[in-house]
Amino acid sequence: MKDCVSHDAALRWLLGNPNPLATGQGHPCADALPSRAPTDEEADALAHAAGAQTVEVLVRDKSGMRKTDRLHAHLETRTLPGRSLIRMEAFTICSPELVFLQVAATSDLLETIACGYALCSAYRLDASARGGVRIREHGDAPLTSTQRIAHYLELRDGVRGVARARRALRYVVDNSFSPMESGIAMCLSLPLNLGGHALGDVVLNPKLKVRVGTDAHGRRVYETRRPDLLVTRALPTGERRQAAVDFDSVAVHSSRRDHARDAARRNELQSSLGMPHFTLAGSQATDYVAFCRFIDLVRISLGQRRKDFSRGGGERDRKRLENVRHRQFELWLRLVSGAARAIGR
């Protein structure tokens, strides 16, 4: 019976490696968990195989639990539903869906939301890649999706952390291409009480059909464009307004050819679909004043008034505004600023 890597150790392994189910390196299962944690020697070998400083594992018997500098055992006495685990050659690892539930049981709501973005993303962390991120392609695939996580949570009703996991999942969006995209999406879309700006619903890297010209016979020519983020807001009148946003980081778009290509794509989106298209530079994203100005531009384009709670002008409204602004700064600091750390690192 193989040791089962879980919690943060499992999260880090999953986000830093190709999807084992997509590559065929792992197989879904719901095997019985080991009754005891590994010995020190076994823990060292497991930590090496999992690429972890401290390895976390699941055991089914309380008597088999123990904790050292390199090992942390967690108790799991409930019967796990199918596809809760992934059987690898050297060890078993918790599935992305189970890891999301484990994060919800041990972390706050914002951390759980950010973890959901990472698990449902189209990237993996790779220190050797440009910007430390590599898109999952060529046989790789996203680890999971919001739909698959929702289905798994239905099977775990009553388990510790499931209520927070369900609440967090309401705010998770599939298909992020980078941790910065996830952070920007959360800042744009989360409600005010969670530190977001509540500008509207966000879709990441959608495929949009745009007109790029005409052919030699006068027929319209269309191509697919993918902005990093598409924000949609429904106005009280029933009108829907949209704005496209791209994050332009020197680490990702470094050549003049890249910049020229991106400028042409922005023009195509604006002329073909009639929606404003914004570019957020890396220097703007990591400067809070510049970031807030950028947010204001997107907000105005979507026809949304600034929420300043100043109707009464009293002390209560002032404090409420201060609390909102503080939460927004904290969210930016946590996920977008130069000091922000990606989930899984």
Side-chain angles (χ1 to χ4, degrees):
M1 191 175 298
K2 296 179 180 178
D3 294 310
C4 180
V5 179
S6 70
H7 291 75
D8 187 64
L11 175 65
R12 290 172 181 269
W13 191 94
L14 289 169
L15 294 183
N17 288 275
N19 183 343
L21 296 181
T23 60
Q25 295 178 324
H27 304 280
C29 65
D31 291 344
L33 296 172
S35 60
R36 64 165 182 84
T39 64
D40 289 345
E41 183 178 352
E42 292 169 341
D44 287 341
L46 182 59
H48 178 74
Q53 293 295 322
T54 300
V55 65
E56 295 170 89
V57 297
L58 290 184
V59 297
R60 57 183 171 84
D61 291 342
K62 189 173 182 179
S63 60
M65 295 179 63
R66 67 191 194 93
K67 185 176 181 179
T68 68
D69 291 341
R70 299 212 64 186
L71 175 70
H72 186 183
H74 299 268
L75 184 64
E76 178 60 78
T77 58
R78 292 173 179 258
T79 301
L80 295 174
R83 304 184 70 87
S84 291
L85 308 176
I86 301 173
R87 187 188 301 113
M88 308 284 290
E89 182 176 351
F91 54 83
T92 297
I93 191 167
C94 293
S95 70
E97 297 80 15
L98 177 53
V99 168
F100 181 73
L101 180 57
Q102 291 169 343
V103 170
T106 57
S107 305
D108 64 22
L109 183 62
L110 287 177
E111 186 79 4
T112 306
I113 296 170
C115 174
Y117 267 86
L119 289 170
C120 296
S121 73
Y123 71 84
R124 63 180 174 89
L125 301 176
D126 185 346
S128 66
R130 181 185 295 178
V133 171
R134 189 178 299 278
I135 299 300
R136 293 185 181 273
E137 55 186 358
H138 307 307
D140 200 356
L143 294 167
T144 187
S145 66
T146 52
Q147 184 176 4
R148 293 207 293 270
I149 292 177
H151 176 69
Y152 185 78
L153 294 180
E154 289 179 1
L155 304 176
R156 305 304 307 275
D157 196 34
V159 173
R160 177 172 176 252
V162 74
R164 180 178 295 158
R166 284 171 174 159
R167 184 185 176 195
L169 192 62
R170 291 164 45 195
Y171 303 113
V172 176
V173 180
D174 293 313
N175 207 38
S176 172
F177 277 20
S178 72
M180 182 63 82
E181 280 187 12
S182 300
I184 295 169
M186 289 176 65
C187 286
L188 290 173
S189 64
L190 287 184
L192 300 181
N193 66 317
L194 294 181
H197 291 262
L199 297 190
D201 297 325
V202 169
V203 178
L204 292 171
N205 299 288
K207 293 182 179 180
L208 302 179
K209 185 178 180 181
V210 299
R211 182 182 175 185
V212 296
T214 55
D215 63 15
H217 304 286
R219 293 173 296 198
R220 296 179 177 181
V221 177
Y222 293 90
E223 291 185 7
T224 298
R225 296 290 179 258
R226 300 186 74 163
D228 294 339
L229 301 93
L230 180 65
V231 189
T232 302
R233 178 169 181 79
L235 300 180
T237 60
E239 177 189 359
R240 291 171 71 252
R241 291 195 182 181
Q242 293 183 309
V245 176
D246 274 331
F247 174 65
D248 190 1
S249 169
V250 173
V252 179
H253 306 287
S254 56
S255 71
R256 291 182 178 180
R257 179 179 295 180
D258 288 335
H259 284 291
R261 181 194 61 197
D262 291 346
R265 289 179 174 179
R266 288 194 292 271
N267 293 337
E268 290 163 357
L269 279 171
Q270 290 171 328
S271 63
S272 179
L273 300 180
M275 72 172 65
H277 188 281
F278 300 93
T279 298
L280 177 64
S283 58
Q284 288 177 294
T286 54
D287 180 324
Y288 188 62
V289 173
F291 184 72
C292 288
R293 288 174 179 168
F294 176 84
I295 292 288
D296 275 343
L297 292 177
V298 179
R299 175 184 56 77
I300 292 169
S301 75
L302 293 170
Q304 182 185 107
R305 291 184 177 181
R306 187 183 181 91
K307 295 180 174 65
D308 57 11
F309 311 109
S310 60
R311 292 181 181 179
E315 181 68 11
R316 182 178 179 181
D317 292 323
R318 185 186 65 80
K319 288 185 176 180
R320 186 182 179 192
L321 178 59
E322 285 182 358
N323 288 336
V324 167
R325 297 290 179 258
H326 178 71
R327 290 192 190 100
Q328 290 172 339
F329 174 75
E330 288 292 324
L331 183 64
W332 168 84
L333 189 65
R334 190 169 179 174
L335 299 174
V336 178
S337 72
R341 296 189 64 185
I343 294 290
R345 282 195 178 133

